[in-house]
Amino acid sequence: MVDPHVVESAGIMTQIFDAHPWYMLGLVVLGFIGGTISGFIGSGGAFLMTPGMMNLGIPGVIAVSSNIAHKFGKAMMGSKKHSELGNVDKKLGFFLLITAAAGISLAVFVNKYFFDKMGKDGSDLYVSTFFVVVLSIIGSFMLKDALRSKREPGTGPSDTLLKMSRKFQLKPMIHFKTAKVDISLAALLVVGLATGYMAGTIGVGGFIGVPAMIYLFGVPTAIAAGTELFLAVFTGGWGTFNYALHGYVDLRLVLLLYVGSLPGIYFGVVGTKVVKELYIRMVTAVLILLCVISRLFAIPVNCKNLHLIDMSKDTIAMLEMGSKIFLFGSGLVATFLILFWTFRAKARERNPIEVSYSTSVE
């Protein structure tokens, strides 16, 4: 017997592609934005791409599952590039994978439950609420820390959580040569589980994995980003398999996202080597919070469609437009800044004499 909810989601997807041919270009652009940001901050860019697809009318569970499938191939490319630059600790990635796979399986079960019981708006409401609660906390902490580093030049990421975590470390301790850190096995298992659940719920696990590696484990930012992409190769494959079993992976979405993301991720990865770490952290934090605002605008619309609250059509239209503006506007600006910083740094590398002369004249 065919699952009626799978038929419903497939019908929604077909209507979107049939009625709006420009969606294809929109998805390619969304893929390029996500790919560039992914390579730059090591998060997979899904924190922007999942709500971006939802803003285009794609059900939350389909957006998450298709993004995970897309993330699998994109992570392979990003991980390879980071590995060439020496930014991947494979041993650390495999230890995190131990429980990340279980976290993804649990997240798929919960996501499917909401879609089965409440349909598209129920799935969107669950994904958006989880997104807002978790990422607002992470984004606020990262922005606060980045601003502290800006006020105090030369300081890296805050070591407050690192010092606290070392007081409660449980043996056995595992040494990671590339990252140059010793980490408790228990802490690795907990972070792996959280990363997997977050990846399976909203298509982005990097915002648990990357901050945890930086602030709890003391891993350098570039290595944390590269290791997260390495981990995403495996979590993406496992998540795709689990969601595909229920018919929630749309290959049309995946292929269109690839068209834009594969060239985008190259520029993002190169940017990590020529852009100051402080800029990377600030871009990450601001983008998270802007995407959180975008999802905040969308939540009342889902509640209205589920008959939980009452709103006028004008209010709904205003909220939907605000959600799109915050999401796509922030993504385009961030992508422009990343490309600008990257090309400017590369130009200075090619013409050091001209740059030096120009600077002295100014």
Side-chain angles (χ1 to χ4, degrees), residues 1-14:
M1 181 178 177
V2 180
D3 189 334
H5 292 286
V6 174
V7 175
E8 175 193 352
S9 64
I12 293 172
M13 293 303 304
T14 299

Side-chain angles (χ1 to χ4, degrees), residues 275-317:
V275 177
K276 292 181 180 179
E277 181 180 312
L278 173 61
Y279 289 160
I280 297 176
R281 287 192 281 143
M282 290 194 70
V283 167
T284 303
V286 172
L287 265 176
I288 294 174
L289 294 176
L290 289 175
C291 289
V292 165
I293 294 173
S294 170
R295 282 296 90 199
L296 276 173
F297 279 124
I299 287 176
V301 178
N302 297 139
C303 291
K304 168 65 171 64
N305 293 337
L306 290 169
H307 308 293
L308 299 176
I309 60 175
D310 189 28
M311 287 189 302
S312 66
K313 291 183 178 180
D314 290 340
T315 302
I316 292 175

Side-chain angles (χ1 to χ4, degrees), residues 53 56 68 78 105 123 167 191 225 252 256 263 269 278 287 313 317 350:
M53 284 187 277
L56 293 174
I68 289 177
S105 297
S123 172
K167 293 179 180 179
V191 170
R252 292 171 296 181
L256 288 171
V269 171
L278 173 61
L287 265 176
K313 291 183 178 180
R350 293 192 185 96

Side-chain angles (χ1 to χ4, degrees), residues 50-51 54-55 58-64 110-111 113-134 201-202 292 294-309 311:
T50 295
M54 292 167 67
N55 273 339
I58 297 165
V61 68
I62 303 294
V64 171
V110 176
N111 234 343
Y113 173 83
F114 278 96
F115 187 72
D116 288 347
K117 295 296 182 182
M118 302 172 69
K120 176 183 179 299
D121 284 291
S123 172
D124 287 1
L125 181 60
Y126 167 65
V127 172
S128 295
T129 302
F130 188 93
F131 190 104
V132 168
V133 172
V134 175
T201 301
I202 57 179
V292 165
S294 170
R295 282 296 90 199
L296 276 173
F297 279 124
I299 287 176
V301 178
N302 297 139
C303 291
K304 168 65 171 64
N305 293 337
L306 290 169
H307 308 293
L308 299 176
I309 60 175
M311 287 189 302

Side-chain angles (χ1 to χ4, degrees), residues 227-243:
T227 302
E228 163 57 27
L229 283 173
F230 174 75
L231 175 64
V233 173
F234 300 95
T235 56
W238 180 242
T240 299
F241 174 74
N242 277 267
Y243 272 115

